[in-house]
Amino acid sequence: MSVKTVSQEELKEQKMYMQKVRSVTHTYFEKPLAYVHSYGCQQNVSDGEKIKGMLEEMGYGFTDTLSEAKFILFNTCAVRENAVDRVFGNVGALKHLKKKNPDIIIAVCGCMVQQEETAGKIKSTFPFVDIIFGTHVLHTFPELLFKCLFEGGRILEIPDSDGVIAENIPVKRERGFKASVPIMYGCNNFCTYCVVPLVRGRERSRKAEDVISEVKGLVERGYKDILLLGQNVNSYGKGTDIDFPELLSRLDRIDGEFKIEFMTSHPKDCTERLIDVIAESEKICHHLHLPVQCGSDRILKLMNRHYDKAHYLKLVDYAREKIPNLNLTTDIIVGFPGETREDFEETLRLMKRVCFDSAFTFIFSPRMGTKAAEMDDPVSAEEKGKWFRELLEVQGECGSKSYQKYVGKTVRVLCEGKGRTSEEYFTGKSRENIIVDFNGDEKDIGTFLDVRITEAKAWALIGEKV
Ligand code: SAH
Ligand code: SF4
């Protein structure tokens, strides 16, 4: 399959729309303000930064107060039911605002919208929403806004496509000296519970040279923390000339002190070579987010995960041997259709055996269009809730022990800002991506420093600057 890269001509056309909108917003007495909210994962947050980058070029400023905004956009997430419910609630609440001020433009985009039925529901339930567009046409946002502003009418843009790659879209980076860099888009794995492949299209990797030159540019501009994004970074590079471990080693060789994080790794494609590259690197975080989802082989098969518990444990053992201070985190789903108490206990056993540093735990949420949503699901919500609480308890015990090993040691920390432990403390993250609170000061923000750990809490380390 050939990846559709948006041509320079198409992007030039969008630039023209940006200029057209800008030539009008510039004549306004006051700079128009935009309110942009992204729900869900880092990929969505990264898309939100692109939308803001385009809005900025179109002459908009930004506000966190809905009532001040001339343009409001919700960038939605569809991965679980509660995310979807929140969007419906928040969009519904805009009705009164639009009534009071019919000039404001309201837009909804993102993963929820890429599903035709949900987009239709948004369109019919909320007649005051002006623009509805899917994930595959993000780069055409300037054209959609232009048409809405100057031609009027509602716009619904959800092309049926496998997705595209669009380079050189303006980005308004909002995480200080931290920058997200998508290295690939979409997903081909079709885990049976997951809506992502249905709303983000087929897996497609950016060219290594584009990724490397973006990271080089960011480091030169003073960014210190680079987060590489992809639904399954381990399969990066299909259709390009290099794979993920090679991409990481090339990024690691870029001059300067900065750190490289990445997410998410799929256990089926995570190789020993990747672990070796992390172990030997200078800048790659000693953090592996490796979602296991479940400890039962039977359920892993039903989930279409393409690995079993033994494979997962082998990877973990290898990684911990090669990277002794590895911060290992995971995702777990409780109550997959057909999961029995015995299956669930397999998950508990796996958690006790691995003792994750931290785990993101979810109760299964049926998603429209996925295979799991069609499967028999006899276990009650109440029972699933009970299992979920048991899981949290087991994880709580592991998590609270796991940071003890750092006490007395010195770790290198990138200071990010004011601390949470107390007024005098500043906070940052270690190379293992663990939160460290310490006695810093204002000028430490955005720099790396050595901190000697004096105390370990369940969620963070506390220390003194060396
Ligand atoms: N691509 C990543 C993340 C996908 S979504 C990966 O493969 O790990 C993030 C997490 O949400 C998943 O790891 C999974 O644990 C959870 N999740 C996805 N779909 C879900 C569903 N239908 N119900 C409950 N949790 C879900
Ligand atoms: Fe969803 Fe599986 Fe793809 Fe992750 S790998 S995005 S869980 S289908």
Side-chain angles (χ1 to χ4, degrees):
M1 184 203 67
S2 71
V3 175
K4 184 175 177 316
T5 304
V6 179
S7 70
Q8 286 310 307
E9 283 68 44
E10 285 174 86
L11 291 171
K12 240 188 224 159
E13 201 183 332
Q14 295 306 321
K15 252 201 153 84
M16 180 199 76
Y17 282 113
M18 286 195 250
Q19 277 159 6
K20 281 187 177 172
V21 175
R22 190 185 182 88
S23 64
V24 177
T25 52
H26 257 45
T27 62
Y28 293 174
F29 182 61
E30 272 180 54
K31 196 176 205 171
L33 299 180
Y35 173 99
V36 175
H37 186 80
S38 293
Y39 298 81
C41 68
Q42 294 289 345
Q43 179 59 58
N44 241 27
V45 174
S46 165
D47 284 352
E49 290 185 340
K50 287 183 181 154
I51 290 168
K52 281 190 156 184
M54 292 187 266
L55 280 166
E56 197 167 47
E57 295 241 330
M58 289 189 274
Y60 282 81
F62 298 95
T63 176
D64 291 330
T65 310
L66 275 167
S67 58
E68 287 177 356
K70 284 265 180 273
F71 174 78
I72 297 172
L73 178 133
F74 287 135
N75 180 20
T76 63
C77 166
V79 83
R80 282 173 296 274
E81 191 66 38
N82 51 6
V84 171
D85 290 347
R86 221 172 317 140
V87 169
F88 272 103
N90 292 350
V91 176
L94 297 179
K95 186 176 170 184
H96 301 292
L97 211 60
K98 180 84 170 185
K99 206 167 174 189
K100 238 172 55 194
N101 184 359
D103 287 343
I104 53 172
I105 292 180
I106 298 176
V108 182
C109 70
C111 290
M112 262 172 77
V113 175
Q114 194 59 49
Q115 284 199 301
E116 219 174 302
E117 282 176 55
T118 323
K121 194 170 158 202
I122 293 171
K123 189 172 176 225
S124 58
T125 319
F126 306 119
F128 52 85
V129 173
D130 304 286
I131 310 176
I132 300 172
F133 65 102
T135 55
H136 300 329
V137 284
L138 184 90
H139 61 285
T140 70
F141 169 61
E143 180 178 352
L144 305 180
L145 183 59
F146 172 85
K147 287 187 170 156
C148 180
L149 280 169
F150 303 113
E151 294 172 8
R154 300 180 82 194
I155 294 171
L156 180 71
E157 191 75 14
I158 312 151
D160 182 14
S161 114
D162 283 342
V164 296
I165 292 187
E167 291 293 345
N168 301 322
I169 296 181
V171 184
K172 182 170 166 51
R173 299 199 182 269
E174 301 214 286
R175 301 167 61 231
F177 44 83
K178 297 159 87 171
S180 309
V181 176
I183 60 168
M184 61 199 298
Y185 304 96
C187 182
N188 283 356
N189 290 315
F190 292 95
C191 301
T192 53
Y193 51 81
C194 185
V195 79
V196 171
L198 311 182
V199 293
R200 287 270 171 194
R202 297 291 56 77
E203 180 186 292
R204 49 212 187 271
S205 296
R206 289 177 68 196
K207 284 192 199 125
E209 65 202 60
D210 290 334
V211 174
I212 293 168
S213 79
E214 181 173 347
V215 174
K216 264 191 187 148
L218 289 166
V219 172
E220 278 162 16
R221 296 206 310 278
Y223 286 88
K224 304 278 186 212
D225 183 333
I226 308 291
L227 172 62
L228 307 175
L229 292 176
Q231 294 299 342
N232 174 11
V233 287
N234 306 125
S235 69
Y236 169 83
K238 285 185 189 137
T240 77
D241 49 348
I242 66 171
D243 63 6
F244 186 57
E246 180 57 26
L247 177 71
L248 277 182
S249 5
R250 292 195 196 178
L251 293 173
D252 189 55
R253 290 200 290 271
I254 295 175
D255 282 341
E257 187 169 19
F258 65 98
K259 52 182 202 161
I260 305 168
E261 305 173 47
F262 59 86
M263 65 190 311
T264 298
S265 285
H266 193 307
K268 86 176 160 67
D269 298 311
C270 180
T271 57
E272 292 188 350
R273 202 172 126 242
L274 171 72
I275 292 162
D276 294 342
V277 166
I278 302 172
E280 286 154 19
S281 76
E282 214 176 280
K283 293 157 184 147
I284 305 166
C285 282
H286 287 176
H287 174 201
L288 193 58
H289 183 62
L290 197 61
V292 64
Q293 310 297 359
C294 182
S296 149
D297 286 345
R298 193 180 75 83
I299 297 296
L300 284 171
K301 211 170 196 140
L302 288 175
M303 286 177 163
N304 195 34
R305 290 288 286 177
H306 292 281
Y307 57 83
D308 58 13
K309 182 173 160 181
H311 171 81
Y312 189 85
L313 292 175
K314 197 167 156 242
L315 265 178
V316 165
D317 289 345
Y318 186 81
R320 283 197 164 142
E321 184 200 321
K322 289 278 165 169
I323 313 168
N325 59 346
L326 181 74
N327 178 18
L328 183 70
T329 60
T330 200
D331 290 348
I332 304 231
I333 297 178
V334 175
F336 184 82
E339 183 174 334
T340 61
R341 176 75 207 178
E342 182 43 42
D343 293 313
F344 171 66
E345 282 176 7
E346 285 281 343
T347 302
L348 291 182
R349 274 195 284 279
L350 177 119
M351 291 190 80
K352 286 179 188 159
R353 153 81 158 78
V354 175
C355 217
F356 293 102
D357 295 278
S358 105
F360 299 88
T361 46
F362 310 101
I363 293 183
F364 169 74
S365 167
R367 310 310 306 130
M368 191 178 29
T370 62
K371 277 195 179 161
E374 308 297 317
M375 295 177 186
D376 250 7
D377 191 5
V379 176
S380 68
E382 198 190 359
E383 185 69 5
K384 289 185 185 185
K386 225 172 84 192
W387 294 359
F388 186 73
R389 288 188 293 278
E390 268 181 73
L391 196 76
L392 290 185
E393 222 167 276
V394 169
Q395 180 50 36
E397 282 166 28
C398 293
S400 62
K401 281 187 282 194
S402 81
Y403 293 168
Q404 289 299 335
K405 60 178 178 279
Y406 291 98
V407 176
K409 295 203 172 124
T410 296
V411 295
R412 190 112 180 115
V413 176
L414 173 60
C415 179
E416 296 186 0
K418 276 265 177 208
R420 283 191 284 172
T421 329
S422 92
E423 270 293 289
E424 307 104 68
Y425 274 80
F426 279 70
T427 195
K429 282 209 184 126
S430 70
R431 182 155 178 213
E432 296 77 23
N433 249 345
I434 297 172
I435 298 172
V436 182
D437 273 16
F438 60 98
N439 60 332
D441 56 64
E442 222 43 75
K443 70 175 178 7
D444 292 334
I445 298 175
T447 66
F448 284 91
L449 12 99
D450 291 325
V451 175
R452 204 176 61 81
I453 303 306
T454 52
E455 192 188 338
K457 302 215 184 250
W459 53 275
L461 299 171
I462 315 293
E464 307 270 338
K465 251 195 321 187
V466 175

